[in-house]
Amino acid sequence: MRPRFGGAFFFDMNADLEHLIVLQRLDSTVLDAQRRLADEPGRQQAFDTRLETTLAAMAAAKERLGENQNARRAIEKDVAVHQGRLSKFRDQLMAVKTNVEYQAVQKEIEFAQKEVKTLEDGILERMLEADELTAALKRAESERAAEQKAVDAERRMLASELSELRTTLERLTKERTALVASLDPHTFKIFDVVSKRRNGVAMAQARDGICTICHVRLRPQVFNTVLRNEQILQCDSCGRILYHIPAPPAAAGAPQPS
Ligand SMILES: [Zn+2]
């Protein structure tokens, strides 16, 4: 007797056909695992992009704060210049001889004082702005730290997922070898040719007279033969090997069909 592979259907089926269905499930699982493994560089890239985005936001916040500090220092320099002029004018005021001279210097002083006042308002504005920019930088830094933590955790999850997939692939490869060895070589050859031609899907369920994968209606004679699951038959249209899964037997307690 041939070994049985997992299928364990509740109805009678040609053993090769049953093994092919198991083989197809196995191949589909392998394909899916391979696709997920192939996705890794893309997923790592997405992690990098997330980290770069928060890093760029942090750098931009730092730059805005730096610009604010530079602007404030520039204004402070201007204030110092005007303060210098003011003290010079005050000295001149002591030395003036005429009322006209006095008034002229006094005017210069008033003008310089006005300038200093405007500049000091500017400094105050920059200081308020600096409070906001410092808070924004702190937010960007904590977002960056949170993102780093999240990405680290997701990377660890991805690594364990991939290592599980590799283990699964190794196991399935061994199972497949044993399964293929148990198959009639001619039957396997048909499966293998169709699988390669049809992106790894060589089996198609027939239901309601239709191939459920290519959706073409089967000839009644073909469908009737498929219903018995006794032989290897291919869909006339897509070439896939056809099988039929009958409706499950009614659950206990439910009315039995006659
Ligand atoms: Zn088909």
Side-chain angles (χ1 to χ4, degrees), residues 204 211-216 218 235-240 242:
C211 165
T212 56
I213 297 205
C214 75
H215 304 291
V216 160
L218 303 166
C235 170
D236 285 336
S237 170
C238 69
R240 291 191 178 89
L242 297 163

Side-chain angles (χ1 to χ4, degrees), residues 65-118:
L65 184 60
E67 281 165 5
N68 166 281
Q69 284 161 345
N70 289 342
R72 180 178 156 182
R73 273 193 288 273
I75 301 173
E76 282 167 349
K77 254 183 212 163
D78 283 352
V79 170
V81 169
H82 286 286
Q83 299 281 24
R85 290 179 67 207
L86 266 176
S87 83
K88 198 184 77 192
F89 291 141
R90 287 195 179 109
D91 289 345
Q92 284 176 11
L93 208 57
M94 302 296 162
V96 292
K97 305 265 178 332
T98 67
N99 205 27
V100 174
E101 271 177 350
Y102 179 89
Q103 275 169 4
V105 176
Q106 188 62 40
K107 219 172 186 176
E108 291 284 7
I109 287 175
E110 275 166 29
F111 179 76
Q113 278 173 334
K114 231 183 195 167
E115 283 291 293
V116 168
K117 171 83 176 65
T118 307

Side-chain angles (χ1 to χ4, degrees), residues 69-187:
Q69 284 161 345
N70 289 342
R72 180 178 156 182
R73 273 193 288 273
I75 301 173
E76 282 167 349
K77 254 183 212 163
D78 283 352
V79 170
V81 169
H82 286 286
Q83 299 281 24
R85 290 179 67 207
L86 266 176
S87 83
K88 198 184 77 192
F89 291 141
R90 287 195 179 109
D91 289 345
Q92 284 176 11
L93 208 57
M94 302 296 162
V96 292
K97 305 265 178 332
T98 67
N99 205 27
V100 174
E101 271 177 350
Y102 179 89
Q103 275 169 4
V105 176
Q106 188 62 40
K107 219 172 186 176
E108 291 284 7
I109 287 175
E110 275 166 29
F111 179 76
Q113 278 173 334
K114 231 183 195 167
E115 283 291 293
V116 168
K117 171 83 176 65
T118 307
L119 290 169
E120 280 174 348
D121 286 350
I123 290 174
L124 199 62
E125 251 174 64
R126 294 295 175 282
M127 285 167 75
L128 292 174
E129 200 183 69
D131 287 346
E132 281 170 30
L133 292 174
T134 304
L137 176 59
K138 278 219 173 85
R139 273 199 304 278
E141 280 169 348
S142 71
E143 273 162 25
R144 157 79 185 166
E147 192 71 320
Q148 181 74 57
K149 214 172 148 188
V151 165
D152 286 348
E154 285 177 55
R155 276 205 162 119
R156 278 195 297 275
M157 271 168 61
L158 176 62
S160 85
E161 183 193 323
L162 295 179
S163 122
E164 236 172 79
L165 279 175
R166 285 188 196 100
T167 309
T168 305
L169 272 179
E170 259 174 54
R171 180 173 54 77
L172 292 181
T173 306
K174 280 183 198 144
E175 276 183 35
R176 190 181 200 275
T177 307
L179 187 53
V180 169
S182 80
L183 278 166
D184 163 54
H186 175 69
T187 305

